[in-house]
Amino acid sequence: MSSSDNGVGRRSPPAVTLLLAVAASVMTWGGAAGAAEFDGARAMAWLERQCALGPRIPGSPGHAALETAIIEHARSLGLTAHRLPFERPHPYARETLRLTNLVILAGRGSGPRLWIGAHYDSRPTCDRDPDPARAAQPLTGANDGASGTAVLLHLAELMAAEPPPRPVALIFFDGEDLGRAGDLDGYCLGSRRLAEHWNDFGAPLAGPPPRGLILLDMIGDRDLAIPQEGYGLALAGEWTRTVFARAEALGLSAFVPEPGPAVFDDHVPFLRRGLPAVDLIDFDYPAWHTAADVPAACSAASLEQAGALVWDLIRHPPD
Ligand SMILES: [Zn+2]
């Protein structure tokens, strides 16, 4: 694990304080009168603050700081937050891996629920970087990790100010990005676990199946174009088309209602269990798994496109 060598631990305490201070300030903002719209600049600030924590590799100080900040953020807003820790063998090391999925619940109404997901961990290496020295370094993960998480953190603020008409779960998946190239079994560890256990007695997601899961991953690219991801289109076509039809109705030009590549991501374990799931992802991102995946490669406008779509689906849930 590289986290003890790179000074992350020394930076973590002030970074946690920063995140908690932001969470506290949101209470005032969240209480403002009138209907709030999704604010891309606010989501961008959440993206930058996650990156300032350093790498969020499972077991690292940055990961622990972000996990705490997400839970504290939800509770400061008056929302219910759950930690779902679990252990499993590390896919590449003779050690036990401790991972924690996080769930924030909002809305008390009845009817089909929406699940909105993103992974909050970041990748241990920049293994696709052409520079060997940079390739060994941990990923900043501005787009790959922080972008989807940032949108969820701002959605929590919006839902605290305007409770959704139907129940919504924000799901922060752990252990998405530990896999090695060519080995899908090392990826999506948190979502695999949750897809197997979501309906366990007493679990925060237990109950009737959701209307659908919307996964946000790599939605911060400055040059954003999101096609219909292949696994979701094949196994949950109706749900995919429902979500993209809303984007079109809202005039959100980043969403392209055409078939895109199939991307093995956190929605796949749920599709395999027969649950509708769509992955909003722009996989055409040259900085993917390189040292260039930094906040400058992302934009508030892109986050706002994805956030505006999901916020509208939360406010006006599809039947
Ligand atoms: Zn990744």
Side-chain angles (χ1 to χ4, degrees):
M1 201 59 86
S2 60
S3 56
S4 60
D5 306 327
N6 58 15
V8 173
R10 290 189 296 280
R11 288 207 309 273
S12 278
V16 174
T17 306
L18 174 65
L19 274 167
L20 296 179
V22 169
S25 73
V26 159
M27 293 190 73
T28 312
W29 178 87
E37 298 304 325
F38 191 93
D39 180 353
R42 195 153 190 104
M44 189 69 192
W46 278 116
L47 181 153
E48 289 166 346
R49 287 180 183 113
Q50 289 174 78
C51 295
L53 292 173
R56 282 86 63 211
I57 306 160
S60 72
H63 183 283
L66 180 55
E67 178 189 327
T68 299
I70 291 169
I71 296 287
E72 291 298 320
H73 179 55
R75 291 180 179 162
S76 75
L77 293 166
L79 301 176
T80 309
H82 299 264
R83 279 188 171 91
L84 304 175
F86 67 100
E87 295 181 354
R88 52 152 294 150
H90 194 289
Y92 309 112
R94 294 170 69 99
E95 63 185 59
T96 298
L97 190 58
R98 291 177 178 81
L99 299 174
T100 307
N101 293 314
L102 308 173
V103 175
I104 297 175
L105 300 175
R108 285 181 217 74
S110 60
R113 303 171 298 163
L114 280 178
W115 291 357
I116 318 296
H119 74 91
Y120 75 100
D121 64 305
S122 65
R123 187 166 182 76
T125 59
C126 299
D127 48 305
R128 290 181 60 87
D129 200 294
D131 178 332
R134 288 200 298 256
Q137 294 172 359
L139 188 80
T140 301
N143 193 24
D144 191 358
S147 69
T149 297
V151 169
L152 265 56
L153 289 167
H154 183 36
L155 286 172
E157 296 165 356
L158 293 170
M159 291 194 295
E162 184 185 325
R166 290 181 189 166
V168 173
L170 303 178
I171 305 174
F172 300 79
F173 294 112
D174 201 357
E176 190 275 340
D177 223 346
L178 289 172
R180 291 181 179 166
D183 177 30
L184 294 181
D185 287 347
Y187 286 91
C188 300
L189 304 182
S191 53
R192 286 176 209 256
R193 170 77 180 194
L194 200 58
E196 288 167 10
H197 292 281
W198 68 271
N199 214 4
D200 286 357
F201 179 77
L205 295 173
R211 176 63 177 88
L213 166 69
I214 301 170
L215 181 67
L216 302 172
D217 195 3
M218 298 172 63
I219 41 78
D221 185 352
R222 299 183 74 90
D223 178 24
L224 191 66
I226 300 177
Q228 296 174 333
E229 185 279 329
Y231 290 111
L233 195 57
L235 296 170
E238 184 272 340
W239 180 235
T240 299
R241 284 185 286 275
T242 296
V243 170
F244 274 76
R246 184 68 64 90
E248 188 168 12
L250 293 170
L252 297 170
S253 58
F255 293 87
V256 184
E258 295 171 1
V263 183
F264 189 89
D265 207 346
D266 285 322
H267 64 316
V268 173
F270 295 92
L271 288 169
R272 286 175 170 166
R273 302 279 310 216
L275 298 177
V278 62
D279 188 9
L280 303 181
I281 185 167
D282 177 1
F283 205 53
D284 181 10
Y285 180 60
W288 180 59
H289 291 182
T290 76
D293 184 6
V294 296
C298 302
S299 78
S302 295
L303 298 177
E304 189 161 302
Q305 288 262 320
L309 171 58
V310 178
W311 180 225
D312 193 77
L313 288 161
I314 289 171
R315 273 174 152 174
H316 309 288
D319 291 329

